Amino acid sequence: MPTQYLIFCDKRFLRSAVKELAAVYPNLKIESADSSGRFLIASSKTEAKPSADLVFVENVVPVSIELEGVKYKSKELLIALQEIIRRKDRFKIEALNLSSHSGANAKTIEVFLGQALEKQGLVADLKNPTLLVYVVLAGDDIFICKTDEQYVLDAFRANKFGKDEKISRAEFKLKEAIDYFGIDRGKIKLALDIGAAPGGWSNHMAKQGAKVIAVDNAALAYEKLDMKRIVHIPKRAQDIDMESLKKFDVDILLMDMNIAPSDSAALAVRFADILKKGAFLILTIKLVDLRIEKHIKDAKEILSKEYRGIRLKKLPHNRQELTLFAIKK
């Protein structure tokens, strides 16, 4: 019997996601998309595991149980959850509410279900769970998926950012990139942040103990940043005198600029001269229009002059953009 899957993706990249799924999982049959475009429903007779080759697909998760016409406070849902959570598990619930029948937000659903399951003797562990359970409310259906992989369904939950949303989202983007591409933070002593304002990426690196050269003619949010570890050069990247930077030995180049992908790539090549051999590059590829494949191809072609191991990924906190990782030749 075919296994059913929930395939999470960004609705803005739905067409690209379907195309790459066909290439990576030829036996996967796309059955439908939910009305929000947040995920696809698919089935396959062979196992479909998450793949490093996937750029636009965020996660592929087998469905454990599908319930029809069930509310999140229903007895049927709690019984279904108890069937897949064992006594020895330390569980965490991740909820996504796309249902028009419930006004509850994801956090409310998670708290209610977690408390109800703990009353049944099961053990919740929000920090170090051994079992992560997704509960997705979609129209009249509820999908339950169990996994040991950490993935945030509701990536843009408002209370995640607090008052510093602009800087905080930027920091989440960089943290996700460093974690996903497996960069050892301990090896980064000096970072160069091009297009740094308002300073989220610089701030994240400074908090990790690195010194940061932040380049931007716009002002940084000084009151929110650790300026003891950040040196601000108030110039446009294009106007920087490269000779003045050659005294530095840079471990990572960071670029999150709202310019065309080919222009970002060209700037990354220009600054490559001051990077150590083997230094890292993280930049965002802004998808300024729907020519997604062309933008990716152009950026890769330009970067290949100075960088190797180029990889791209649409990460949870990316919006109309992809994150690119590469290594200085």
Side-chain angles (χ1 to χ4, degrees):
M1 183 176 179
T3 301
Q4 191 176 43
Y5 292 89
L6 290 188
I7 300 173
F8 295 92
C9 55
D10 190 312
K11 64 182 178 181
R12 289 164 287 197
F13 305 117
L14 194 60
R15 184 177 300 176
S16 297
V18 171
K19 186 174 181 179
E20 73 174 357
L21 283 167
V24 177
Y25 304 121
N27 296 317
L28 195 69
K29 179 183 177 183
I30 306 297
E31 297 176 349
S32 63
D34 79 290
S35 58
S36 74
R38 185 69 179 85
F39 64 86
L40 300 167
I41 302 167
S43 63
S44 177
K45 293 182 179 179
T46 58
E47 190 173 6
K49 293 182 178 180
S51 168
D53 297 326
L54 296 172
V55 174
F56 300 97
V57 172
E58 295 174 19
N59 211 356
V60 179
V61 188
V63 175
S64 302
I65 299 172
E66 179 182 358
L67 301 172
E68 297 181 359
V70 171
K71 310 296 184 185
Y72 84 90
K73 288 189 176 182
S74 298
K75 181 179 179 180
E76 294 93 330
L77 174 56
L78 291 174
I79 291 173
L81 289 169
Q82 290 176 64
E83 289 178 5
I84 63 174
I85 302 174
R86 299 163 298 180
R87 293 281 174 180
K88 66 178 183 179
D89 291 325
R90 300 193 311 276
F91 75 90
K92 179 182 178 181
I93 302 287
E94 282 279 2
L96 180 64
N97 187 12
L98 303 170
S99 172
S100 59
H101 309 303
S102 171
N105 61 30
K107 183 67 175 179
T108 299
I109 295 170
E110 291 165 7
V111 170
F112 171 79
L113 294 176
Q115 290 177 345
L117 292 168
E118 284 187 307
K119 289 179 181 179
Q120 301 301 316
L122 299 174
V123 180
D125 188 338
L126 303 185
K127 292 185 177 180
N128 298 295
T130 58
L131 179 68
L132 190 61
V133 181
Y134 301 161
V135 176
V136 180
L137 283 66
D140 293 324
D141 298 328
I142 294 181
F143 297 95
I144 303 173
C145 309
K146 63 176 182 178
T147 178
D148 57 2
E149 294 184 12
Q150 287 279 6
Y151 173 74
V152 179
L153 294 184
D154 190 19
F156 297 102
R157 185 177 297 163
N159 65 5
K160 199 166 192 178
F161 304 117
K163 295 180 181 179
D164 298 334
E165 194 265 2
K166 190 171 185 181
I167 286 184
S168 296
R169 190 179 77 85
E171 290 197 44
F172 274 113
K173 282 167 55 177
L174 182 57
K175 180 182 183 302
E176 286 170 350
I178 290 173
D179 290 344
Y180 181 82
F181 295 114
I183 297 174
D184 185 349
R185 290 174 173 82
K187 293 182 179 179
I188 300 175
K189 307 302 180 185
L190 181 62
L192 176 60
D193 188 3
I194 304 298
W201 283 22
S202 292
N203 196 50
H204 181 79
M205 296 311 305
K207 289 194 297 186
Q208 304 305 311
K211 291 185 178 179
V212 185
I213 303 168
V215 177
D216 204 310
N217 64 333
L220 301 184
Y222 295 111
E223 72 280 3
K224 300 174 183 177
L225 305 180
D226 180 4
M227 295 307 297
K228 294 178 182 178
R229 306 192 70 86
I230 300 172
V231 176
H232 180 203
I233 300 178
K235 291 185 178 182
R236 295 193 318 151
Q238 297 88 336
D239 298 334
I240 289 289
D241 176 13
M242 297 301 294
E243 290 297 322
S244 68
L245 295 179
K246 284 188 176 179
K247 61 184 177 180
F248 297 109
D249 217 4
V250 176
D251 300 298
I252 188 168
L253 172 61
L254 308 172
M255 297 181 61
D256 184 24
M257 303 176 70
N258 192 25
I259 58 179
S262 57
D263 293 336
S264 289
L267 273 177
V269 168
R270 179 171 184 254
F271 283 95
D273 280 348
I274 62 171
L275 303 183
K276 289 180 180 177
K277 182 178 180 180
F280 304 112
L281 166 68
I282 295 179
L283 68 81
T284 51
I285 298 293
K286 305 294 182 179
L287 300 174
V288 293
D289 54 46
L290 295 177
R291 298 176 299 163
I292 295 173
E293 292 182 5
K294 183 180 185 305
H295 290 312
I296 292 173
K297 180 177 179 292
D298 290 347
K300 282 184 173 181
E301 187 174 298
I302 294 168
L303 289 168
S304 63
K305 300 170 186 175
E306 295 285 350
Y307 297 91
R308 59 180 174 84
I310 298 172
R311 298 166 58 194
L312 291 106
K313 183 66 179 177
K314 194 281 173 187
L315 295 167
H317 279 85
N318 286 137
R319 291 183 180 172
Q320 196 67 24
E321 63 194 13
L322 301 173
T323 297
L324 183 145
F325 165 84
I327 300 170
K328 172 70 170 64
K329 289 181 179 178

